[in-house]
Amino acid sequence: MAPIIEIKNLTKSYRRGNQSIIVLENLSLDIKENDFLALMGPSGSGKSTLLNLIAGLDKADSGSIIVQGIDISLLIETELAKWRADNVGFIFQFYNLIPVLTAFENVELPLILTKLSKKERKEHVFTALKLVGLEDRMDHYPGQLSGGQQQRVAIARAVVTDPAILVADEPTGDLDRVSAQEVLKLMENLCSTIGKTIVMVTHDPRAAKKAGNIMYLDKGVLADDPQTSFQECV
Amino acid sequence: MILKLLFRNAFRHRLRTVLTICGICVAILAFGLLRTVISAWYAGVNASSATRLVTRNSISLIFPLPISYKEKIRNVDGVKLVSAGSWFGGFYINEKNFFANFAVESKSYLDLYPEFVIPSDQKSSYLKERKGCVVGVKLAKRFGWKLGDTVVLKGTIYPGNWEFVIKAIYKGRDKNVDESQFFFHWEYLNETVKKLWARRADQVGFYMIGVTSPDIAAVAARNIDKMFNNSFAETLTETEKAFQMGFVSLSQTILTVIELVTMIVIVIIMVVVANTMAMSVRERMNEYAVFKTLGFGGLFLAFLILGESLLITSLGCIMGIILTFPAADAFMGAVGDYFPIFNISTQTIYLDIIASFIVGVVAAIFPVRQAITVPIASGLGRIG
Ligand SMILES: Nc1ncnc2c1ncn2[C@@H]1O[C@H](COP(=O)(O)OP(=O)(O)O)[C@@H](O)[C@H]1O
Ligand SMILES: [Mg+2]
């Protein structure tokens, strides 16, 4: 079976002043469908950068990212926005809910861009909120929810459009241990029961253990095993 | 839901938004009042007719013309009606009680100014009474005058106490007619002048001329002036509008300053709103990045930000317009005597709306640009 995400010879650098810093160099990686992949590595190693490229939030300098047969590095900005809306769900470290919208409205947000009727949207939102166990909190504003609950609302928002891929950047980085466990369990379920492909960046070895697969990124180089220096930290 | 979002965004910082709205409200109020003052200033010009000319001494308005010119002017081609008049310059009890008062050739004057509406019985009793006078309703109300009252004016140009009997009270045919004038028979003035200052008798300050159509006004004016060329009192004839403009232009500098102030008020409020929008958008960069991440485009962000800006300016504008009316009434109560006409025109209200629309759009331009161009990754903030 062909991998759902194929990354070939990816290079990404940032300009700072007049010098450019290479963050990812000639990186290749295949991610299988229905995989739960954890990306680990020291701070500044380029994990977020790689995740953003996979999710179509940023453009690489060279190389290709083929997702379900589409090379997203060739898409222009508006095509990419449409592609993201259709194919990727996002979970952030700081939840990034819109504070003036209720839990229900936050989850409904991505559906505004679809052709669904108001009634259909409502059904989808209910389903997604039920999935994360927060249907009784749908009228609450983010400020009235705990961190763990906010992250679950964010997960509902990420899955409500039924995307094939979920990307999560340190989803438990801002949570206490119990909430973190809940969130990870939820993500594990999404992978095992509804067949999502998940790419998660994390610092937390406990979180990584929940994942089916772990990759280590250090100074722009990928490895199946942690580099000796990093292993010491872990 | 997008509108709900827009509305809630606008009131996220309630105090800031309310203060901004108050600012716009005050600016619109000032704008409306100043414009109303300007149009009050130009009221005489706006009320003037295109088929009326005014002839005066070419040296200056304060030099008179002989009454004998009247018949000559009447014979000029295109002239339908001629009336004559003089500034009387009297005041009632106290010099501070200023109002326009002049002596006119009553019959022709009333024919020439149909915008002064007088009941026909009052008109005929005025024409019969030697000491009769006509006053505007507004002026009558101001001094509590009624029909039949005897009124004494103190003369300044013609010293002494002058007695008049109010025989008619006129109303304006439409809103821009000055309802605070006072006029009486020139013959009454002239017979007294003849007795006391014989050298000043048989003279008038100006002729008012009705022509058959606006097209021939310029030609008729030229012909009248040509007729009195090289005579001992040369004339200057101009349209009523130009004549009225002559009074206004004395204060042209003040008007320019007022107009400048209205522009400055608008610019200041533009800066205030732009600042509010810039602050809001900067605080929400991270949310705009989330919208973009979810696939929302620049148009959506522009709609959200522009909509919020326009919502704030519209609320301020509506409040400002509503407050302009009582404010104008209060202002009128305080200084109304100097401005016989003081109406808020529909044009002013349209300008209020246009100005606040422009303010709303301009204030949103830079924030919209900023929100659209910031790359998602840096908008989300760099994490971990
Ligand atoms: N927008 C950016 N501009 C410049 N440098 C950046 C930017 N984003 C990330 N970097 C740099 O790229 C490197 C990798 O960053 P990042 O992918 O966020 O690392 P990680 O998520 O593994 O901690 C860091 O050295 C960081 O300073
Ligand atoms: Mg990171």
Side-chain angles (χ1 to χ4, degrees), chain A residues 12-16 21-24 40-52 58 169-170 201 203 217, chain B residues 375 377-378 381-384:
Chain A
K12 173 74 182 175
S13 59
Y14 287 112
R15 296 203 73 81
R16 192 169 288 161
I21 309 160
I22 296 173
V23 181
L24 303 173
M40 295 191 75
S43 195
S45 58
K47 304 183 297 294
S48 296
T49 303
L50 177 58
L51 197 70
N52 286 347
D58 206 350
D169 197 343
E170 312 255 10
V201 164
H203 256 115
L217 190 63
Chain B
S378 52
R382 291 189 28 254
I383 296 160

Side-chain angles (χ1 to χ4, degrees), chain A residues 84 93 96 100 105 108, chain B residues 4 8 286 292-293 383:
Chain A
R84 278 199 305 272
Q93 179 177 1
N96 280 332
V100 290
E105 291 163 339
E108 191 186 7
Chain B
K4 225 189 286 179
R8 287 188 205 155
N286 156 49
K292 285 201 262 186
T293 302
I383 296 160

Side-chain angles (χ1 to χ4, degrees), chain A residues 90-96 151 157 169-171, chain B residues 290 293 380:
Chain A
F90 296 86
I91 302 161
F92 307 96
Q93 179 177 1
F94 297 109
Y95 336 125
N96 280 332
Q151 193 61 297
R157 179 177 68 185
D169 197 343
E170 312 255 10
Chain B
V290 171
T293 302
L380 285 172

Side-chain angles (χ1 to χ4, degrees), chain B residues 133-207:
Chain B
C133 71
V134 179
V135 299
V137 266
K138 229 157 119 186
L139 188 67
K141 202 177 281 167
R142 181 172 156 201
F143 294 119
W145 291 339
K146 290 182 301 297
L147 276 181
D149 281 3
T150 298
V151 171
V152 177
L153 296 192
K154 269 193 174 51
T156 52
I157 305 170
Y158 307 95
N161 287 332
W162 296 72
E163 203 170 85
F164 303 99
V165 183
I166 297 174
K167 281 293 175 185
I169 293 178
Y170 75 84
K171 276 205 184 96
R173 188 181 49 195
D174 40 61
K175 257 182 143 185
N176 61 3
V177 175
D178 178 0
E179 287 181 333
S180 57
Q181 294 193 0
F182 180 113
F183 54 87
F184 58 93
H185 302 297
W186 176 81
E187 291 80 2
Y188 173 45
L189 175 70
N190 197 42
E191 66 193 42
T192 312
V193 169
K194 237 180 218 161
K195 272 184 246 161
L196 299 176
W197 311 284
R199 266 184 341 121
R200 289 170 71 182
D202 293 331
Q203 288 177 340
V204 296
F206 43 86
Y207 288 100

Side-chain angles (χ1 to χ4, degrees), chain A:
Chain A
M1 192 174 65
I4 186 168
I5 302 170
E6 283 176 81
I7 301 171
K8 284 195 201 123
N9 307 325
L10 199 65
T11 298
K12 173 74 182 175
S13 59
Y14 287 112
R15 296 203 73 81
R16 192 169 288 161
N18 49 9
Q19 72 183 47
S20 81
I21 309 160
I22 296 173
V23 181
L24 303 173
E25 193 170 14
N26 218 14
L27 185 143
S28 297
L29 169 67
D30 286 352
I31 299 171
K32 290 198 300 290
E33 192 165 350
N34 200 14
D35 196 358
F36 185 174
L37 174 68
L39 262 179
M40 295 191 75
S43 195
S45 58
K47 304 183 297 294
S48 296
T49 303
L50 177 58
L51 197 70
N52 286 347
L53 289 171
I54 292 173
L57 291 177
D58 206 350
K59 289 273 193 176
D61 302 343
S62 64
S64 61
I65 303 171
I66 297 160
V67 183
Q68 294 172 310
I70 298 166
D71 188 347
I72 62 166
S73 56
L74 302 178
L75 299 181
I76 59 165
E77 190 47 59
T78 48
E79 292 169 336
L80 204 54
K82 171 100 177 65
W83 176 83
R84 278 199 305 272
D86 292 343
N87 297 287
V88 190
F90 296 86
I91 302 161
F92 307 96
Q93 179 177 1
F94 297 109
Y95 336 125
N96 280 332
L97 299 175
I98 306 299
V100 290
L101 298 180
T102 62
F104 182 95
E105 291 163 339
N106 264 291
V107 176
E108 191 186 7
L109 207 53
L111 297 178
I112 303 260
L113 290 170
T114 64
K115 291 195 181 73
L116 296 179
S117 71
K118 203 171 168 62
K119 191 163 156 282
E120 289 168 320
R121 289 209 301 260
K122 204 167 169 175
E123 283 163 9
H124 281 69
V125 174
F126 275 135
T127 310
L129 280 173
K130 221 171 271 167
L131 195 68
V132 299
L134 285 175
E135 66 271 32
D136 55 335
R137 298 300 172 99
M138 62 179 200
D139 291 328
H140 287 52
Y141 287 92
Q144 302 167 324
L145 297 171
S146 73
Q149 289 170 330
Q150 289 189 55
Q151 193 61 297
R152 277 148 66 197
V153 173
I155 291 173
R157 179 177 68 185
V159 298
V160 75
T161 52
D162 197 23
I165 302 162
L166 291 181
V167 297
D169 197 343
E170 312 255 10
T172 58
D174 204 47
L175 296 178
D176 61 81
R177 192 182 297 179
V178 178
S179 304
Q181 280 310 114
E182 280 174 11
V183 163
L184 286 167
K185 195 139 184 282
L186 203 54
M187 291 175 64
E188 204 184 358
N189 271 335
L190 290 174
C191 181
S192 60
T193 60
I194 18 183
K196 301 284 172 212
T197 305
I198 303 178
V199 184
M200 172 176 75
V201 164
T202 185
H203 256 115
D204 179 7
R206 243 192 307 266
K209 267 196 210 99
K210 285 268 180 193
N213 239 322
I214 306 179
M215 294 286 254
Y216 298 89
L217 190 63
D218 197 359
K219 301 195 180 81
V221 180
L222 263 182
D224 286 329
D225 300 305
Q227 234 68 24
T228 44
S229 62
F230 184 59
Q231 201 160 30
E232 281 159 22
C233 308
V234 176

